Amino acid sequence: MVNWEELPREILEFIARRLSIEDFLAFRGVCTSWRSTAAKETYDTKSKTPWLMIYADNQRAEFRSPTTGRIYPMQVPGSHVRTLSAPGWILASQGDREYHIFNPLSRVGIELPALTKLRRKSRLRVQLDGPKRLQCRHPRINRIALSSGPSSTRSYVVMIHIHQSLGPLGFAFHRSGEDAWTAVSPAIYLRRSTILQLIYYDGLFVALAANKQIMTFNKRNHLMESRLILGQNIFEGHPYLVEYSGSLLAAWTMWGEGNGPVKKIRVFKVDLEKGTEEEVMSLGNASLFLNGNSSFSVEFNAESCLLGVKRNHVYFIDNIDEKKKSYRMDNGEVETYFDATSCHDYAAAWFQPDFSAFL
């Protein structure tokens, strides 16, 4: 009988590097010898593997692993779900009143304060008139970003853009441990603008408005500051903000003729300090995953073993035909990755699971 614990270490390491993240975690649980060969560095690479999150119904979501094709159904505390910038976390809401940030793998949920619990600094020219206005206009969270995942720290900040039945209201933030939101003064000329993207990048909350203006949150003065106008030479398309290897990228999905399905994607590196943007022709060993609320990048190497996704690609949802697609940066080829027909834009999204609770 073979003693599996006595297999040569180099063979075990070879196997561990080529397993999917789910099988890698199971491999680590076999015995002490196998666990010692499944290095943390290998886990760190594999843990970035994106999954496809599909909201079903009755507070149930399905998570599909592109590496293995497996589908994992999970219960979520809400009728609507959206991915967040912090890996492993989603926003779950029950109507427009109850909001939670939730980790579907660890089952940890954190209730956010009601949107009616809003305070403001008297010195700010905030365009929100307080809780009464929020109550009568049916406020809801339009965009949301986290400074860090609650799994890794007890101190984090949640930034939101609030919308209501008559249009945009403004920004607010919530610090962990507090029981209310703090209103943020909007950037000049953006008091009623729709916000397309809100992310956390390089210690800053960065927002992109429908008029292509990028702004950042000044936490000292509690206000949004305008930084630059994006895509001066782009007239048709939808922009996404995403961090890649310490840089801020703007990825534009360019519509086809007559506002048809996406035919091209252009990617630009944005410099907030200089107020400039430079087109990126290749992503190298990385790929981008674009979502309506939060987007992210994944860098590949020889140990990634991401069989269901490819490097130097942009994965996105085409809002015209509601299909999940991929765009190949080197030749401009567009392929359908997943048919999300009849799904809302939040119902099918790329998601980065957090497996730290299983180590």
Side-chain angles (χ1 to χ4, degrees):
M1 180 179 295
V2 176
N3 186 344
W4 295 103
E5 293 187 15
E6 296 179 358
L7 284 175
R9 184 180 181 87
E10 56 271 21
I11 292 180
L12 292 175
E13 291 176 347
F14 179 86
I15 295 172
R17 287 195 297 266
R18 283 155 177 78
L19 295 175
S20 66
I21 181 61
E22 309 100 290
D23 294 332
F24 178 82
L25 292 173
F27 179 93
R28 283 173 53 90
V30 172
C31 63
T32 303
S33 176
W34 286 30
R35 184 183 184 89
S36 67
T37 61
K40 185 179 184 302
E41 291 75 16
T42 303
Y43 163 77
D44 290 341
T45 298
K46 294 179 177 296
S47 64
K48 296 179 176 61
T49 305
W51 284 7
L52 193 61
M53 180 183 73
I54 307 164
Y55 181 75
D57 53 19
N58 298 323
Q59 300 185 357
R60 182 173 60 89
E62 295 180 345
F63 295 84
R64 176 184 176 185
S65 168
T67 306
T68 64
R70 299 170 188 155
I71 296 177
Y72 303 93
M74 300 180 191
Q75 292 296 119
V76 294
S79 57
H80 301 297
V81 294
R82 274 179 277 180
T83 59
L84 295 179
S85 52
W89 292 83
I90 63 175
L91 175 70
S93 61
Q94 190 66 45
D96 294 332
R97 295 182 179 272
E98 298 180 11
Y99 289 94
H100 297 78
I101 50 177
F102 180 70
N103 187 318
L105 292 185
S106 67
R107 311 300 299 171
V108 173
I110 301 173
E111 184 176 0
L112 296 176
L115 296 182
T116 53
K117 293 184 177 181
L118 183 76
R119 63 189 179 209
R120 60 179 180 174
K121 303 294 183 180
S122 59
R123 71 177 188 276
L124 296 178
R125 295 180 298 168
V126 180
Q127 300 304 305
L128 302 174
D129 295 329
K132 289 185 178 180
R133 180 176 179 183
L134 285 174
Q135 288 176 337
C136 68
R137 300 294 178 88
H138 306 291
R140 60 181 175 83
I141 294 177
N142 172 45
R143 293 289 181 258
I144 181 171
L146 282 173
S147 63
S148 57
S151 299
S152 58
T153 178
R154 294 184 179 180
S155 178
Y156 58 90
V157 179
V158 184
M159 187 81 174
I160 60 173
H161 181 255
I162 306 171
H163 208 278
Q164 42 86 31
S165 57
L166 297 182
L169 276 176
F171 294 92
F173 69 90
H174 160 69
R175 290 191 179 94
S176 54
E178 297 182 345
D179 61 355
W181 298 93
T182 299
V184 174
S185 179
I188 298 175
Y189 309 122
L190 283 171
R191 294 185 178 89
R192 306 293 293 176
S193 181
T194 297
I195 300 301
L196 302 178
Q197 296 275 282
L198 179 61
I199 68 170
Y200 188 74
Y201 160 74
D202 194 28
L204 296 171
F205 286 104
V206 184
L208 172 63
N211 66 354
K212 305 178 185 178
Q213 190 160 182
I214 289 184
M215 66 202 85
T216 57
F217 173 49
N218 184 320
K219 59 183 177 182
R220 181 176 181 179
N221 298 320
H222 290 184
L223 57 84
M224 300 299 292
E225 298 178 332
S226 179
R227 304 298 288 267
L228 74 151
I229 303 296
L230 189 66
Q232 298 280 10
N233 299 319
I234 299 178
F235 303 99
E236 293 185 352
H238 190 287
Y240 298 82
L241 295 180
V242 55
E243 180 177 4
Y244 159 62
S245 191
S247 298
L248 179 63
L249 301 183
W252 288 80
T253 54
M254 313 295 294
W255 301 318
E257 185 177 353
N259 287 338
V262 172
K263 295 298 183 182
K264 184 177 182 180
I265 292 180
R266 297 178 67 183
V267 179
F268 295 84
K269 181 178 179 180
V270 179
D271 190 319
L272 294 177
E273 295 299 322
K274 296 180 181 178
T276 61
E277 52 185 324
E278 178 183 356
E279 188 158 10
V280 175
M281 305 309 297
S282 173
L283 298 171
N285 288 330
S287 285
L288 306 183
F289 297 83
L290 308 182
N291 290 318
N293 187 70
S294 65
S295 304
F296 58 91
S297 63
V298 172
E299 193 163 359
F300 298 77
N301 61 34
E303 298 178 353
S304 294
C305 192
L306 305 183
L307 300 179
V309 293
K310 302 174 183 178
R311 67 191 69 199
N312 202 29
H313 280 62
V314 180
Y315 292 84
F316 65 101
I317 187 168
D318 195 324
N319 294 323
I320 303 301
D321 56 17
E322 297 183 337
K323 294 180 179 180
K324 276 285 182 181
K325 297 180 179 180
S326 66
Y327 176 84
R328 185 170 170 176
M329 289 288 292
D330 60 355
N331 64 8
E333 183 180 4
V334 177
E335 293 183 340
T336 297
Y337 178 85
F338 175 77
D339 189 342
T341 304
S342 301
C343 292
H344 296 290
D345 59 356
Y346 60 77
W350 287 103
F351 170 76
Q352 281 187 299
D354 177 13
F355 296 96
S356 59
F358 299 92
L359 288 177

